[in-house]
Amino acid sequence: MSEISIHDRVERFLDRKFRASRSFATKETYKGAINKFADFAYQDYNQELGKFLDNMLNNVLDPIEVLDNFYTYLTKTPNPLSKKIGYSNATIRQYVTTAKEFLNDVGCKIYSEDIRRKFKLPRQIMTYTEGLTKEIIAQILRLANYKLATVILIACSSGMRLGEILQLKLSDIDFTTNPTTIGIRAETTKTREGRITHISREAAQALKDYLAKSKTAKNNDDYIFLFNHEKILERLSEEEKSRRRVRATIHNFENQLNHVIADIPELNKRAENMRFQVHFHAFRYFFK
């Protein structure tokens, strides 16, 4: 199997996952799992992914045995997030399952029953995460710049995901209702289903002040928070432009939040799953 063909097979697999989810984040998650599987093939078998797949398709290697060894590899590989040896049970399940689906996609017939006869995937352990309090959120808002503070207030009062907030257009906001109404467009949501939510009076006022001060959104089709970077994006397709703009803006806001909490011990703490307790999804938890 040539490198070109293996590249095409990987892209076909990822495109199918994207087609089902319509989520670039989901596609990137699957891509990360395939890359880790390729690393495993090189480190444990000294084979490039194309040759590795050929050997399984030609019955030189047993795919079930390979998946079992991949499981073991993930338990012994340093985790770049926690800086400990081994990935979490949830990540191991995700990576092994993705590898199995990919092998099936390229022609290796693997059934769940065959895997269960060989090994069992680890149970997903529920970890405790301490919720954010009003006092913590108020402290973060005092330290944040007005743009970041506006996004945090919207997240806390609406339950919107960060990506949904950052893709809001001026036409999505209806300040004439009480409370202010936000129409979340289907193409910006994880489930690809549109919905309606509301924001608090404080969040609405912060958004009005931000719009007046920033003057970034003048027309109904203008994005309120999304970065532009036209020089970087001019050679990309429209779909790729949209994806890059969203990812760049999300990373920027995540970095801004991390910078705010970095020097405050009571905020800069990690939960049992090694994730920082203060993150944008935690604001969504607070809303719920």
Side-chain angles (χ1 to χ4, degrees):
M1 186 179 294
S2 68
E3 285 302 314
I4 295 177
S5 64
I6 184 58
H7 176 268
D8 290 343
R9 287 179 183 236
V10 171
E11 287 301 313
R12 183 185 66 180
F13 175 75
L14 296 176
D15 287 342
R16 285 175 175 169
K17 293 301 180 182
F18 176 76
R19 183 179 64 192
S21 66
R22 303 302 299 171
S23 169
F24 287 109
T26 298
K27 183 177 179 179
E28 288 298 317
T29 299
Y30 279 102
K31 183 178 180 180
I34 297 298
N35 288 340
K36 184 58 65 177
F37 189 60
D39 291 342
F40 155 72
Y42 185 77
Q43 293 185 28
D44 276 31
Y45 291 82
N46 195 28
Q47 296 177 13
E48 299 294 339
L49 185 57
K51 181 180 178 182
F52 195 49
L53 294 177
D54 276 341
N55 283 334
M56 282 182 276
L57 289 169
N58 295 326
N59 297 319
V60 177
L61 293 172
D62 177 9
I64 305 297
E65 187 74 25
V66 166
L67 290 176
D68 189 21
N69 292 337
F70 184 41
Y71 179 177
T72 302
Y73 169 83
L74 293 171
T75 65
K76 297 181 178 180
T77 302
N79 187 333
L81 177 61
S82 64
K83 297 182 180 179
K84 296 181 179 180
I85 300 300
Y87 285 80
S88 68
N89 286 0
T91 300
I92 291 174
R93 289 180 64 91
Q94 175 192 323
Y95 281 11
V96 173
T97 301
T98 299
K100 184 199 78 171
E101 292 178 357
F102 176 61
L103 291 178
N104 273 324
D105 189 72
V106 299
C108 297
K109 300 303 180 185
I110 303 174
Y111 301 98
S112 298
E113 294 78 6
D114 297 330
I115 292 178
R116 283 195 290 268
R117 292 192 191 101
K118 183 72 175 180
F119 63 91
K120 291 183 179 180
L121 289 173
R123 292 183 178 181
Q124 188 166 345
I125 300 174
M126 299 299 293
T127 57
Y128 171 75
T129 302
E130 184 178 349
L132 301 182
T133 64
K134 291 182 179 179
E135 291 73 22
I136 290 177
I137 293 174
Q139 184 178 8
I140 296 170
L141 291 173
R142 288 195 299 270
L143 298 170
N145 61 59
Y146 72 99
K147 186 175 184 179
L148 176 60
T150 300
V151 170
I152 291 174
L153 283 169
I154 294 174
C156 289
S157 64
S158 69
M160 295 174 66
R161 297 178 177 87
L162 178 59
E164 295 169 347
I165 297 173
L166 299 182
Q167 294 180 81
L168 285 174
K169 294 182 177 181
L170 195 58
S171 57
D172 298 326
I173 316 296
D174 187 355
F175 289 111
T176 65
T177 62
N178 187 19
T180 296
T181 301
I182 294 181
I184 308 173
R185 304 188 314 283
E187 66 267 22
T188 70
T189 68
K190 183 177 181 179
T191 60
R192 289 301 183 261
E193 295 179 355
R195 67 184 191 277
I196 292 175
T197 188
H198 302 87
I199 57 176
S200 66
R201 185 179 302 173
E202 182 182 9
Q205 188 58 57
L207 181 55
K208 288 180 181 177
D209 293 342
Y210 168 74
L211 289 170
K213 185 174 182 179
S214 67
K215 298 179 181 179
T216 54
K218 300 177 181 179
N219 303 310
N220 280 339
D221 287 334
D222 289 343
Y223 289 105
I224 298 175
F225 300 108
L226 206 59
F227 290 163
N228 198 345
H229 297 313
E230 286 297 339
K231 290 184 179 180
I232 299 176
L233 302 173
E234 60 186 4
R235 296 184 179 180
L236 303 176
S237 66
E238 289 303 317
E239 183 179 57
E240 184 66 10
K241 281 182 182 180
S242 176
R243 186 180 75 85
R244 291 281 187 92
R245 291 177 69 184
V246 173
R247 292 307 306 164
T249 311
I250 286 176
H251 285 315
N252 179 272
F253 273 84
E254 289 173 340
N255 289 337
Q256 287 186 56
L257 180 61
N258 291 337
H259 180 73
V260 168
I261 69 174
D263 299 323
I264 306 173
E266 62 267 28
L267 299 181
N268 192 19
K269 297 188 297 184
R270 292 184 183 269
E272 292 179 6
N273 59 3
M274 298 309 298
R275 189 177 188 182
F276 283 112
Q277 291 187 357
V278 178
H279 51 85
F280 275 100
H281 221 64
F283 300 131
R284 194 163 187 251
Y285 297 155
F286 176 82
F287 167 79
K288 290 185 176 181

